[in-house]
Amino acid sequence: MSALFEWDLCNCCPDDLEPVSEDGTALSHQVPDDYIISPETVLAKLNRINVHKAPRPDDMPNWVVRDFAPLLYEPLCAVFNASVREGKVPSLWKHANVLPIPKVNPPKSIESDLRPISLTPTVSKVLEAIVGSWILDIVGCQLDDHQFGALKGRSTTHALVDMVHHWHKALDEGHSVRVLCVDYAKAFDHVDHVILLQKLKSYGVPSFILRWMTSFLCERQQRVKVMDTVSDWVTLRGGMPQGSWLGPLIFVTLIDDLRPRLLTHKFVDDTTLSEIVA
């Protein structure tokens, strides 16, 4: 068990990144009317909560949030709008239980055969989904068309069909194909928050969303949980929690600059480069 807790420190907390810091003020910002969250939006999302998912760090069962949605949605809506307006995310919403999920069965190496999936508070994920939809509306049309991961209407099937089509077409025309498969090492754990916020700003994300994102990323804490045993809390300097709503979207935005001249197919942190050789 101690080896798993050491795995958390070694794999999820890189110390080579510069952490971001909040402004320190709690002044309200003017939020355009289009970005004011409606009670109906909150109620709809609460009603769609999956009650079968594992408990979160706040120990609030998902069924409580869903079944009591008619009583909770208006107060939560007020909290959500205040969070966006003031650019503050409650500290308890930035806690995560990390579950070591095996990549292979049975896992043989703690370092390479386990994937850290973060369970964050359900209420936090509801607000993440709302803010994430705003970010996606802004950056979605600017992202590489060859990114097939974390975007609605795209999947591994689309990526594979497009790859095979280009490869077979080249072979039918008498050419050869060279393929290079690239996988980022510890991709989600090494997201630089400073670079990320600069990238979002360059894509035209409004300042009030950037301020909220800064608070969302700042001083996140996590611990490993195996059955009923948990490790100590660790404060992160960078990275994005796998299992969060924003994680995949933020990551594909961060790596969008990877646009080589070769035929490229991306699926989140997996990239395939294809060269047609005459």
Side-chain angles (χ1 to χ4, degrees), residues 43-241:
L43 179 59
K45 291 190 175 296
L46 294 182
N47 284 331
R48 290 197 297 267
I49 289 175
N50 186 345
V51 299
H52 300 293
K53 289 191 174 181
R56 310 292 162 144
D58 56 4
D59 291 325
M60 175 70 74
N62 285 343
W63 68 264
V64 172
V65 182
R66 189 194 68 176
D67 292 356
F68 286 87
L71 301 176
L72 295 174
Y73 77 98
E74 288 187 331
L76 277 178
C77 181
V79 173
F80 288 172
N81 280 311
S83 175
V84 173
R85 186 173 61 250
E86 298 177 8
K88 293 288 184 180
V89 177
S91 59
L92 290 177
W93 290 3
K94 296 190 284 185
H95 289 182
N97 285 338
V98 178
L99 303 186
I101 305 299
K103 298 180 183 179
V104 296
N105 192 20
K108 298 179 180 179
S109 169
I110 290 178
E111 289 76 16
S112 60
D113 291 348
L114 296 175
R115 174 178 284 108
I117 298 299
S118 298
L119 296 182
T120 56
T122 299
V123 172
S124 173
K125 290 192 72 171
V126 173
L127 181 54
E128 272 188 71
I130 294 172
V131 176
S133 67
W134 298 342
I135 296 175
L136 181 59
D137 287 342
I138 297 168
V139 307
C141 60
Q142 305 178 61
L143 295 177
D144 189 353
D145 288 338
H146 295 100
Q147 174 60 258
F148 291 87
L151 298 174
K152 188 175 182 180
R154 306 185 190 185
S155 67
T156 51
T157 301
H158 294 98
L160 290 170
V161 168
D162 197 59
M163 272 188 260
V164 172
H165 166 72
H166 283 91
W167 295 345
H168 282 187
K169 183 174 183 293
L171 295 176
D172 289 343
E173 294 174 352
H175 304 310
S176 299
V177 181
R178 295 173 179 164
V179 178
L180 173 66
C181 297
V182 179
D183 185 11
Y184 294 88
K186 308 298 181 186
F188 279 75
D189 299 330
H190 284 83
V191 171
D192 189 312
H193 293 168
V194 176
I195 295 176
L196 170 61
L197 291 169
Q198 292 173 349
K199 177 67 69 67
L200 291 175
K201 183 178 181 180
S202 71
Y203 276 78
V205 175
S207 59
F208 73 91
I209 297 181
L210 292 176
R211 191 164 182 246
W212 186 91
M213 277 296 304
T214 301
S215 180
F216 175 81
L217 297 169
C218 181
E219 297 183 352
R220 297 194 66 87
Q221 291 190 309
Q222 67 182 30
R223 64 185 180 184
V224 174
K225 182 176 182 181
V226 180
M227 299 180 69
D228 293 329
T229 305
V230 295
S231 69
D232 294 331
W233 289 104
V234 174
T235 301
L236 304 182
R237 300 172 62 89
M240 286 297 297

